[in-house]
Amino acid sequence: MTQRFAPDRPAHIGQPHLRRNALRHLAGRGAYVSDLALPRMVHAAFLRSPMAHGRITALDLDEARAAPGVIAVYSAADLNPMCQGWTGVLSHFAGMTSPAQSILADQEVLWVGHPVAMVIARTRAEAEDACEKILLDIDDLPAVAGFAPALDPDMPAAAEASASNLCFRAELKTEGAAAAFDGAALVVEGEWRFGRHTAVTLEPRAVVADYDPASGQLTVHHGTQTPFQFQDVYARQFGLPDNRVRVISPDVGGSFGMKLHLYHEEMATVAASLKLHRPVRFVADRLESFTSDIHARDHKVKARMALDGQGQVLAMEVLDRTLIGPYSTYPRTSVAEGNQVIRLMGAPYAMPDYHGVLEVLFQNKVQTSQYRAVGHPIAVQVTEALIDLAAEKLGLDPFEMRARNVVADDAYPCASATGYRFEKLSHQESLRRLRALMDYDGLRAEQAALREKGIHRGIGLATFVEITNPGAAFYGVGGARISAQDGAVVRLTPGGEAHCAISVTEQGQGTETIIAQIVADQLGLTPDQVKVVTGDTDATPSGGATWACRGAGIGGETALRAGRKLAEQLCRIAGAILQAAPESLALRGGAVVDAATGAERLALAELARIATYRPDTLPEGTDNSLSVAQHFAPQGYPFGFTNGVQAAWVEVDTETGLVKLLKHWVVEDCGRIINPLLVDEQIRGGVVQGLGAALYEECLYDDAGQLLNGSLADYLVPMAGEMPDILIGHVETPTEDTILGAKGVGEAGTAAAGAAVMNAVNDALRPFGARLCQTPMTPARILAALGIGPTERDETWN
Amino acid sequence: MKQALELQVNGEAVALMVEPRQTLADVLRDSLRLTGTHLGCEMGVCGACLVLLDGKPVHGCLTLAVQAQGCAVTTVEGLDASGEIADLQAEFHARNALQCGYCTPGMLMTAQALLKRGAVPDRAEIREALSGNFCRCTGYEAIVDAIAATAAKRGAA
Ligand code: FES
Ligand code: FES
């Protein structure tokens, strides 16, 4: 694999190159959509349903229309006819159903926060004031809020358009699953509840839509990961040609999957601009974020694991139920998370049999959908908890238990019992590295010594498999217009520098930096000589952009192939100028050199000058193009799986129920590492998001579907003071599917951090016979598990 | 009813009319177009809106613009231009202590205020000082490292 990198290419790939675009942020010169002010721009605010489910009986907009600063007030009757409805189903999720969505609530409101009316005013404050002048009457309908009502056959559906509260059911089963349980020496089981949480990007969702009727051009400045997806959505839903729709995603203040779904407010903002012929801005405030950004998780899982007498895992049986919203999200659906949960169960282990069932249920709360590490934390937490339970029953050390069961590093390629095909993973090597990195034996000794003193510390381990680099099998086959390919145009500028416009996007991960490193290596330049442009549908070729960890693997490969194509073209032009065979030339140090000797033949700046300003001096018939375009879609394996293992070291205060995170370790194998500095930061950030979900974050609702904690004062997020230092180690197993060999790394931290910390808490509590099965593991739940608090399973369980 | 407001912003005298309910953050962002000051929660818990008011960090989202009458306000743009946090910025950059950058101006404000207190803070003190600064992207660790490195260098100088 390594030798596929021609040695004549100086390696910036693999170096901790610094992010140039970080300097703008450090100077306060970021350019986010929420910063944008356009001439004649007006501001939107929404009147939202205060009830989880009801029927609108009166809506009077007159007083709002007369309020100071108000330009327009719209209801469903004004906006919905402008736009085709959208329905979040995909054909490869056989049998799934969802009601269609439209811009504003029409007759029926379906969750607390459902937009009913839109006010456009000179300022946001005036728009909000006018919202208060709208008269809205709603007759209550029964609200489906929680598992109990969603599973109650007598309960009406969350939306009148749905026949029942079952959105989707799926089942996976190997032939030997039942027999494996019958013949098992040991069966361990449990039930887990995963709370609902949300992305809480520091910059909320922001959109400025700007329609110019003179040119027929709609420009949408949209803080999203996926500008081309929204170009297509806006064009199709509003009936515009897609080349007249431009979506610009400048700096985005965090996304994590949340900003790639279609939201009512964004559609309303576009519709208002189409009506008003002027820029309309919507920026969610924090409460609006809590009541309209997608939420994630909200699963309840019942699972069993069968093992033989030696502790070898034979099979798992899983029932995953998840509560979404009243609709499935568009265009990725709300069932993809559950689908990944039931397929990722037991993934690191050589487990021959499996039986998994998924039930996705509607309810009257904010929609759930893809958020960082989709499904992974749930599958990993359940699997790893069962592995620990089995180890305890068998008297095996948790490390030994995992070492016995992970798929051997020399057993690839292979497939999981759930149907995933793995090219090459490195669980054994990762476990070995982790053991040394964390000084496992020393830590166990320390734990035992502290126990004597009444200090209860725990060690938790969690192996994981992460899905990255999805091909068209992910969404495209189901009919979604979500691109699995990416595109780049690379050119040599007249001054001899490089420019790369590419469809993958940047939200701070360092996409532009790694693309510059990769292109630089192909052209014999330094990364600083490569300007990278992203996030503008008018400026780059179209592509899927950055989600599900595709930036490095797919975007990187696109850039690599584009760079090589340009290098070949430049050698052809140089060959024509120098009367040399193009194959005898190479690019190094900003010049065309003799490939064999390295002697400089022609500076790139000179080549660019001749091709741009004196093409007349080139031999006749020479193609003087200094630009190439390249698209790339993954082929071969449908996903690029990565793997790793995490460990947590925690202390539990058994009197207060507080968990102190002392240290965290991650060993990760994301294939070829393009930039170790950026990879480590991705992993750390991901770990902290996973820890937030495990310990603090939860969208709390009452029985009537009212959100109880829609502010950053009430919804707890991980802060610097509580977070541990995170040590990271790497194993590098490049994929053979691409020249670059990179896979993704964005979900790895989040995938297993919660599992590691839950196992660590349970390890600390083992002498008390207490065990946590619900996230977040709040102090109250820990005390309840210890028998000190009220009850172990409070109303949030249901 | 709009009210006259006079203050110094990043060393420049500014006079403008504001509404009594407008926050300092809104006036900085919307009227003066100093968009380096960000808004994340508008209730004083995320730290994205921190600015210096007469040298002390305050939440731009909780401070009414009229409260800054006659005061000197420094935003991240001002700290950047004066060069006084160049070392801190360089340490943030070297460690990639930011991803999306939305929390960064507030982090720099907190860090600079902490560093100005004199004594070299240890990592736990730095983490504690950042207890009002939310970052969703990084793991905080690189931010702590960057501040610790700056503190050590300033302490040695
Ligand atoms: S916006 Fe001021 S503290 Fe969050
Ligand atoms: S870098 Fe994104 S919030 Fe801190």
Side-chain angles (χ1 to χ4, degrees):
Chain A
M1 190 57 219
T2 323
Q3 62 275 15
R4 287 168 72 184
F5 278 90
D8 67 329
R9 296 171 206 264
H12 294 102
I13 293 174
Q15 298 304 309
H17 193 70
L18 298 184
R19 275 174 58 207
R20 194 182 186 123
N21 56 12
L23 292 170
R24 283 191 299 110
H25 295 300
L26 285 160
R29 291 174 182 271
Y32 304 88
V33 173
S34 53
D35 296 336
L36 191 67
L38 295 178
R40 303 178 65 242
M41 185 172 84
V42 289
H43 299 258
F46 291 89
L47 177 74
R48 295 168 184 280
S49 170
M51 285 169 192
H53 194 193
R55 177 157 291 285
I56 298 173
T57 52
L59 179 66
D60 185 346
L61 308 175
D62 288 350
E63 204 184 325
R65 288 199 166 110
V70 169
I71 288 146
V73 183
Y74 300 126
S75 67
D78 302 304
L79 299 190
N80 292 6
M82 297 175 65
C83 160
Q84 268 185 48
W86 60 97
T87 307
V89 298
L90 289 173
S91 63
H92 63 314
F93 297 126
M96 85 165 288
T97 86
S98 174
Q101 299 183 62
S102 46
I103 300 179
L104 294 173
D106 187 8
Q107 298 173 28
E108 192 184 11
V109 292
L110 294 170
W111 79 93
V112 174
H114 193 170
V116 173
M118 180 190 208
V119 176
I120 308 287
R122 282 177 316 203
T123 67
R124 166 83 185 199
E126 286 170 326
E128 285 178 19
D129 289 347
C131 281
E132 289 177 15
K133 302 209 154 77
I134 296 174
L135 179 104
L136 170 66
D137 276 332
I138 295 175
D139 271 358
D140 249 339
L141 291 170
V144 181
F147 281 104
L151 290 167
D152 179 351
D154 296 330
M155 188 74 189
E160 284 176 343
S162 289
S164 80
N165 284 318
L166 183 67
C167 166
F168 178 58
R169 186 175 189 283
E171 183 162 7
L172 301 172
K173 193 172 186 176
T174 60
E175 263 177 35
F181 276 89
D182 293 342
L186 172 70
V187 173
V188 286
E189 61 190 322
E191 194 173 3
W192 289 266
R193 177 76 170 96
F194 296 87
R196 206 171 234 263
H197 50 259
T198 184
V200 201
T201 58
L202 192 53
E203 184 197 27
R205 276 168 36 228
V207 63
V208 177
D210 183 8
Y211 179 64
D212 169 13
S215 60
Q217 169 89 22
L218 171 70
T219 305
V220 186
H221 306 264
H222 186 160
T224 178
Q225 300 166 241
T226 50
F228 285 99
Q229 174 198 303
F230 282 104
Q231 177 188 44
D232 179 70
V233 165
Y234 295 142
R236 281 153 41 87
Q237 304 305 121
F238 289 101
L240 302 165
D242 66 359
N243 65 349
R244 297 277 168 209
V245 178
R246 178 181 183 190
V247 177
I248 302 174
S249 305
D251 291 328
V252 181
S255 186
F256 316 112
M258 183 275 283
K259 292 178 182 171
L260 50 69
H261 308 290
L262 182 57
Y263 292 97
H264 297 255
E265 293 83 357
E266 277 78 339
M267 294 301 265
T269 304
V270 169
S273 181
L274 289 170
K275 267 186 172 309
L276 294 169
H277 299 174
R278 58 195 290 189
V280 179
R281 173 187 194 259
F282 169 71
V283 179
D285 66 23
R286 190 50 62 187
L287 175 62
E288 287 181 294
S289 298
F290 276 107
T291 58
S292 65
D293 293 358
I294 57 105
H295 294 174
R297 324 307 179 209
D298 211 350
H299 287 245
K300 197 192 279 189
V301 182
K302 233 187 201 147
R304 309 201 289 156
M305 183 181 272
L307 300 104
D308 70 12
Q310 280 69 53
Q312 217 64 53
V313 178
L314 302 172
M316 281 178 78
E317 200 177 82
V318 172
L319 169 62
D320 176 31
R321 288 196 168 119
T322 177
L323 291 163
I324 58 169
Y327 319 104
S328 161
T329 48
Y330 187 85
R332 282 173 166 72
T333 81
S334 300
V335 311
E337 171 151 287
N339 190 52
Q340 285 188 189
V341 168
I342 59 163
R343 282 164 207 275
L344 280 165
M345 289 283 177
Y349 302 110
M351 174 179 82
D353 284 297
Y354 182 71
H355 183 191
V357 174
L358 167 68
E359 282 179 17
V360 179
L361 304 163
F362 292 119
Q363 67 171 347
N364 296 104
K365 294 184 188 172
V366 179
Q367 290 175 301
T368 65
S369 199
Q370 283 78 319
Y371 163 59
R372 196 173 199 171
V374 187
H376 294 68
I378 295 158
V380 177
Q381 215 151 313
V382 168
T383 304
E384 295 301 297
L386 287 170
I387 288 281
D388 265 17
L389 268 177
E392 189 182 333
K393 289 260 168 17
L394 294 161
L396 283 173
D397 179 85
F399 242 110
E400 174 56 26
M401 181 71 195
R402 286 170 174 82
R404 274 187 199 187
N405 276 290
V406 290
V407 176
D409 291 359
D410 60 7
Y412 295 94
C414 65
S416 73
T418 64
Y420 281 146
R421 288 196 295 132
F422 301 130
E423 179 195 9
K424 182 140 179 51
L425 302 176
S426 59
H427 292 296
Q428 290 178 319
E429 178 61 15
S430 299
L431 280 170
R432 274 195 292 274
R433 291 272 178 101
L434 177 71
R435 192 166 186 130
L437 186 69
M438 68 189 288
D439 181 18
Y440 181 72
D441 301 307
L443 221 52
R444 280 284 178 218
E446 191 180 336
Q447 179 189 30
L450 288 168
R451 275 276 196 233
E452 305 286 309
K453 298 186 190 150
I455 295 172
H456 302 290
R457 292 195 173 175
I459 301 169
L461 302 174
T463 54
F464 64 92
V465 166
E466 182 201 342
I467 302 173
T468 79
N469 290 3
F474 214 43
Y475 294 114
V477 295
R481 293 174 67 92
I482 295 171
S483 172
Q485 62 83 44
D486 276 284
V489 170
V490 182
R491 54 193 163 105
L492 191 69
T493 64
E497 317 273 332
H499 184 284
C500 174
I502 188 159
S503 56
V504 286
T505 54
E506 168 90 87
Q507 295 86 41
Q509 310 93 324
T511 308
E512 293 179 358
T513 306
I514 62 166
I515 297 298
Q517 289 175 265
I518 293 166
V519 171
D521 279 359
Q522 314 314 312
L523 299 178
L525 297 171
T526 63
D528 281 339
Q529 289 176 283
V530 183
K531 178 173 176 178
V532 179
V533 170
T534 63
D536 180 346
T537 59
D538 265 11
T540 79
S542 78
T546 305
W547 49 271
C549 281
R550 338 170 43 260
I554 301 175
E557 182 73 6
T558 309
L560 183 145
R561 291 182 185 213
R564 289 197 173 181
K565 204 184 217 180
L566 179 60
E568 282 164 19
Q569 165 64 5
L570 297 180
C571 286
R572 273 195 295 273
I573 300 175
I577 295 169
L578 299 167
Q579 295 299 298
E583 314 77 59
S584 72
L585 302 171
L587 305 182
R588 251 175 258 170
V592 180
V593 299
D594 185 279
T597 65
E600 178 169 333
R601 301 290 310 273
L602 181 67
L604 277 183
E606 181 59 8
L607 188 161
R609 183 193 66 79
I610 295 169
T612 307
Y613 303 111
R614 294 305 306 276
D616 57 304
T617 65
L618 293 171
E620 207 183 313
T622 309
D623 174 2
N624 73 324
S625 303
L626 294 181
S627 308
V628 301
Q630 175 75 51
H631 287 253
F632 171 74
Q635 285 171 344
Y637 284 85
F639 307 100
F641 287 98
T642 70
N643 69 281
V645 54
Q646 298 196 22
W649 174 228
V650 309
E651 183 172 316
V652 182
D653 183 329
T654 50
E655 267 155 37
T656 60
L658 285 168
V659 176
K660 193 165 174 181
L661 301 167
L662 301 167
K663 202 146 200 175
H664 201 97
W665 297 266
V666 182
V667 173
E668 214 282 333
D669 183 349
C670 59
R672 181 170 310 285
I673 293 176
I674 301 166
N675 184 324
L677 182 72
L678 302 180
V679 162
D680 287 1
E681 266 315 296
Q682 272 296 300
I683 293 174
R684 288 201 177 90
V687 165
V688 167
Q689 282 188 359
L691 295 176
L695 292 165
Y696 314 113
E697 299 183 38
E698 185 167 28
C699 301
L700 292 166
Y701 283 84
D702 69 10
D703 287 351
Q706 290 289 342
L707 179 67
L708 302 175
N709 60 343
S711 85
L712 272 177
D714 302 311
Y715 177 100
L716 302 182
V717 288
M719 300 298 280
E722 292 94 53
M723 289 300 109
D725 282 345
I726 300 162
L727 252 69
I728 295 169
H730 296 286
V731 177
E732 248 183 288
T733 311
T735 169
E736 305 263 336
D737 268 1
T738 63
I739 302 167
L740 183 62
K743 307 182 227 178
V745 74
E747 338 276 351
T750 313
V757 81
M758 182 177 262
N759 280 351
V761 167
N762 286 334
D763 186 42
L765 297 181
R766 190 152 293 132
F768 301 88
R771 201 156 66 84
L772 270 289
C773 300
Q774 185 173 9
T775 59
M777 295 179 281
T778 59
R781 287 179 186 146
I782 289 178
L783 292 178
L786 283 163
I788 299 168
T791 80
E792 201 177 331
R793 289 185 182 178
D794 57 21
E795 64 282 3
T796 55
W797 185 274
N798 294 313
Chain B
M1 263 303 279
K2 288 206 172 182
Q3 229 169 293
L5 172 67
E6 285 184 30
L7 71 171
Q8 284 239 328
V9 179
N10 299 332
E12 287 175 29
V14 170
L16 72 170
M17 300 296 288
V18 301
E19 295 205 25
R21 69 174 176 178
Q22 274 182 291
T23 65
L24 180 57
D26 283 341
V27 168
L28 290 170
R29 286 176 55 80
D30 300 340
S31 308
L32 303 178
R33 301 297 289 138
L34 289 164
T35 52
T37 301
H38 295 152
L39 289 171
C41 69
E42 297 176 79
M43 60 186 305
V45 293
C46 78
C49 64
L50 287 168
V51 296
L52 301 179
L53 189 68
D54 290 336
K56 285 201 202 61
V58 297
H59 289 114
C61 70
L62 296 181
T63 309
L64 291 174
V66 293
Q67 289 175 281
Q69 170 66 34
C71 296
V73 173
T74 309
T75 69
V76 66
E77 290 92 340
L79 282 184
D80 175 65
S82 71
E84 63 190 289
I85 57 162
D87 54 347
L88 186 62
Q89 290 166 315
E91 298 292 348
F92 266 67
H93 188 223
R95 287 171 179 71
N96 197 43
L98 62 148
Q99 289 183 31
C100 79
Y102 206 74
C103 67
T104 308
M107 292 286 177
L108 293 171
M109 288 288 160
T110 300
Q112 177 65 354
L114 173 71
L115 294 169
K116 281 216 148 174
R117 292 214 299 248
V120 178
D122 65 21
R123 292 177 66 80
E125 286 166 330
I126 295 170
R127 285 193 180 272
E128 196 47 45
L130 293 174
S131 65
N133 288 87
F134 175 45
C135 173
R136 190 47 140 177
C137 305
T138 73
Y140 293 108
E141 192 166 331
I143 297 172
V144 176
D145 292 342
I147 298 171
T150 312
K153 286 185 189 162
R154 285 195 193 174

